[in-house]
Structures are given as C-alpha cells and as structure tokens.
Amino acid sequence: MQPSMPNWNDLRIFLEVYRCGSLSAAARQLRIDVSTVSRHIASLEKSLAAPVFQRLPAGLKATTKGREILSFIESMESHSLAMMQTDKAGVSHLPAGEIRIGTMEGIASFYLAGKIGKFNEKYPNIMVELLTSSHQVHVNRREADLFLSFYPYDGKGLDILPVGKFRLCLYAHNDYLQKYGVPANISELRNHKFISYISDLIQLDTVRWLDEAIINPDIIFSSSSLVAQMFAAASGTGIAMLPEFMQAERFGLKPLLRESVEVSRVVWLSVHSELRYLPKMKAIIAFLLEMFGNDYPNAPGIRLN
C-alpha cells in the first residue's frame, strides 16, 4: 500500500498519545473514547503505511516512523498557536492563553507562587499553571511550556538560557544552636548535625549542595522534600542548607557562616524553540528575567542580558 496524506486529526491525536504515553491517558486528556483514539492511530498508520507506535508492556513507544513525523507535527502545532495570537490584519492581540511552568518543589512553593500575582496583574488574560516535580519535566514532549531547573537541561528543539542565580546558606534554629553551639568557622561544622536529601534517591546531582560546604557531614535526618528539610531544621533537628529564596528566617531559622560558605546555583530556563517567541511566552520569559534580576541583582558569577 502506498502512503497517502495523513489527516490532521490523526496527527493531532498521535501527538497527544505520544505525550501521554498511552491511549487511555490521551483519551482522558482529549475527553474522547479510547476506541476513538485507537481508530485515529490506526488511520494514521494506514496513511503512512507503517506503524507509529510499538505496543510494549510498559506502554507505547514511538517507532522510527513515529519519531520522523513528530517534529513535523510539533512544527505545525506551533505555527497554529502563533496564528491564534494574530488577527486577520496581522496585528497581535494582547498576550493570552495558558502557560505551564514545570520546576522543583522549593522554587515553586517558596518563590514563584508568591510572584505569579504580579504577573497576573500585568497580563490578566494569561493563566499560569505551576507544575512541581522532583524529576525532569520534558518540555520537548510538551509536559510543560517552560522548565526551570538548576542545570542546563538540553533536548532537541529547545532553547536553554540562564534567567538568574541564587545563593544557598546554612540555617539552624535557636533550639538547636543552644544545644550544640554556634559554629564559628567551617572547620567547626564537623561537630554538628545536618539535614539533607536521601542520598540514593537524589535525581539531580546539582542538589548535592551540602557536600560543597562540608566533607562527609553528619546527617541526622534526610528527606526527598526540601520543604520537609526546612521544617525539620525549624524544629531544632539540625542544620540545613537552603536556598535564600525560601526566606527561611520567616520560620525562625538563622543563617550561619554566610560570609564563609559560598554555594550558589544558576536557574536555567528551557523552552521549545518554536514557542519561545509567542507573545505569551515572551511575556513570561521577560517577567522571569526581571524578577530574578530585581531580587538577586548582585548574584555572583553570571551576567544576564
């Protein structure tokens, strides 16, 4: 059978199945029956005269042919989204739509969530969704429109840029300090108790920041949650290394050896290249650059344009 021109609906549903990983998940996302999704995939495979998915026990995996058409479909989708931002006279409307930002729990809950209100005041027609995950969020699969991370996640079809840099500090509560004393220098940290991540569950080596301050720290409590670490420190359990943007002082924690311990991380933004210049995306990226620049103007080691 000779290949024929695929139907756009078949391509659109293929893209959703690819992103969701299964027919049933795609059906829920599209709010249609699984059988309808299956028929569209079968129709696409008939048009291409080749299968687009492998059916595996763990789910669906795109075949070589599926991967070949993926970038083509995403390009079509991006151009369609761009057209929606422009009226018949070619004049752009005010930015509008939904933007999903994927990032890690700490920066989402203790920094970004408190800033979105200002963005909404300026762009009331843009609705922001904040997706928190301890794992990498795949922008090139459209799990999110933007991904903020502490490392330059690279991927096909993505633009990667630094948007800011923040410091991390050691924090402890008075209850702990009264019991164990205040460390006067870095060498005295060897006599103290620490709170950190669960070592064998760390997904990103960039969060092993405590190791940059002290070699072989005496870990008394560990958690995969940065929020849990902060509250454990606030209860007097031990010393935790926390990003400054968490403003741990609000919870009774005091910074230690701020001038002696210098640990910092760059915040990297990943965005799909073909979506980056949509009005709504330009608005959120400019806002993030301005926000980090205002809050951390003297962040060492990086120059942002």
Side-chain angles (χ1 to χ4, degrees), residues 101-113:
I101 301 174
T103 190
M104 287 150 284
E105 173 196 36
I107 196 169
S109 300
F110 289 89
Y111 188 65
L112 291 178

Side-chain angles (χ1 to χ4, degrees), residues 16-91:
E16 196 63 43
V17 173
Y18 173 80
R19 292 171 178 168
C20 293
S22 70
L23 299 179
S24 57
R28 287 193 297 271
Q29 186 70 21
L30 295 167
R31 298 181 181 179
I32 58 178
D33 296 332
V34 174
S35 59
T36 302
V37 175
S38 181
R39 284 197 300 271
H40 279 282
I41 296 301
S43 174
L44 177 60
E45 292 178 331
K46 183 178 180 180
S47 298
L48 299 173
V52 294
F53 286 115
Q54 288 179 279
R55 277 69 174 175
L56 303 174
L60 299 178
K61 181 180 179 181
T63 62
T64 301
K65 175 60 70 174
R67 292 192 297 272
E68 285 176 1
I69 66 171
L70 179 62
S71 59
F72 169 72
I73 302 171
E74 289 186 325
S75 178
M76 291 177 64
E77 181 190 51
S78 298
H79 288 304
S80 297
L81 289 171
M83 290 173 63
M84 292 171 64
Q85 297 287 337
T86 307
D87 63 21
K88 293 181 180 179
V91 179

Side-chain angles (χ1 to χ4, degrees), residues 2 12 19 22 32-33 35 46 56 59 77 86 90 98-99 112 126 140 158 169 172 174 181 260 273 276 285 291:
Q2 292 294 321
R12 179 177 61 86
R19 292 171 178 168
S22 70
I32 58 178
D33 296 332
S35 59
K46 183 178 180 180
L56 303 174
E77 181 190 51
T86 307
E98 296 180 355
I99 297 176
L112 291 178
I126 297 178
N140 54 353
L158 299 182
C169 294
N174 267 337
S260 304
S273 302
R276 178 178 173 181
I285 292 172
M291 180 180 69

Side-chain angles (χ1 to χ4, degrees), residues 168-171 195 209-210 213 226 229 239-243 261 263:
L168 296 107
C169 294
L170 296 172
Y171 290 90
I195 296 165
W209 37 56
L210 183 61
L226 188 62
Q229 293 175 41
I239 300 173
M241 176 162 277
L242 303 169
V261 178
V263 179

Side-chain angles (χ1 to χ4, degrees), residues 37-301:
V37 175
S38 181
R39 284 197 300 271
H40 279 282
I41 296 301
S43 174
L44 177 60
E45 292 178 331
K46 183 178 180 180
S47 298
L48 299 173
V52 294
F53 286 115
Q54 288 179 279
R55 277 69 174 175
L56 303 174
L60 299 178
K61 181 180 179 181
T63 62
T64 301
K65 175 60 70 174
R67 292 192 297 272
E68 285 176 1
I69 66 171
L70 179 62
S71 59
F72 169 72
I73 302 171
E74 289 186 325
S75 178
M76 291 177 64
E77 181 190 51
S78 298
H79 288 304
S80 297
L81 289 171
M83 290 173 63
M84 292 171 64
Q85 297 287 337
T86 307
D87 63 21
K88 293 181 180 179
V91 179
S92 293
H93 296 297
L94 291 174
E98 296 180 355
I99 297 176
R100 178 174 293 177
I101 301 174
T103 190
M104 287 150 284
E105 173 196 36
I107 196 169
S109 300
F110 289 89
Y111 188 65
L112 291 178
K115 303 290 185 177
I116 295 303
K118 292 183 180 179
F119 179 77
N120 185 251
E121 289 176 4
K122 189 173 182 179
Y123 299 102
N125 296 325
I126 297 178
M127 200 277 280
V128 175
E129 297 178 345
L130 198 52
L131 170 65
T132 62
S133 175
S134 58
H135 302 280
Q136 182 171 285
V137 175
H138 296 280
V139 177
N140 54 353
R141 296 183 189 174
R142 303 292 167 83
E143 295 175 356
D145 299 304
L146 301 174
F147 180 46
L148 293 175
S149 59
F150 303 153
Y151 63 99
Y153 161 51
D154 197 8
K156 185 177 180 181
L158 299 182
D159 286 346
I160 317 296
L161 60 152
V163 294
K165 188 172 185 177
F166 61 88
R167 285 188 57 181
L168 296 107
C169 294
L170 296 172
Y171 290 90
H173 193 271
N174 267 337
D175 290 348
Y176 172 86
L177 296 173
Q178 288 174 5
K179 185 175 182 180
Y180 292 96
V182 179
N185 51 54
I186 292 177
S187 63
E188 288 189 6
L189 291 175
R190 288 175 294 184
N191 303 320
H192 285 268
K193 310 295 183 182
F194 290 90
I195 296 165
S196 187
Y197 283 98
I198 301 174
S199 182
D200 61 339
L201 295 182
I202 290 177
Q203 300 291 326
L204 306 171
D205 284 336
T206 52
V207 301
R208 297 184 186 274
W209 37 56
L210 183 61
D211 294 337
E212 294 182 27
I214 179 172
I215 299 173
N216 298 322
D218 182 8
I219 306 296
I220 194 173
F221 173 79
S222 58
S223 172
S224 59
S225 166
L226 188 62
V227 177
Q229 293 175 41
M230 185 188 71
F231 283 115
S235 72
T237 301
I239 300 173
M241 176 162 277
L242 303 169
E244 282 190 334
F245 61 69
M246 294 182 76
Q247 299 178 46
E249 292 87 347
R250 294 177 294 171
F251 304 95
L253 290 165
K254 293 186 175 182
L256 306 172
L257 303 175
R258 190 188 290 271
E259 302 303 320
S260 304
V261 178
E262 296 185 7
V263 179
S264 61
R265 290 293 184 271
V266 174
V267 179
W268 296 88
L269 182 148
S270 306
V271 58
H272 202 284
S273 302
E274 294 182 344
L275 295 182
R276 178 178 173 181
Y277 296 102
L278 290 177
K280 66 176 183 178
M281 302 299 280
K282 290 171 65 176
I284 191 67
I285 292 172
F287 175 78
L288 292 171
L289 285 167
E290 181 182 10
M291 180 180 69
F292 278 104
N294 289 340
D295 290 344
Y296 302 100
N298 299 315

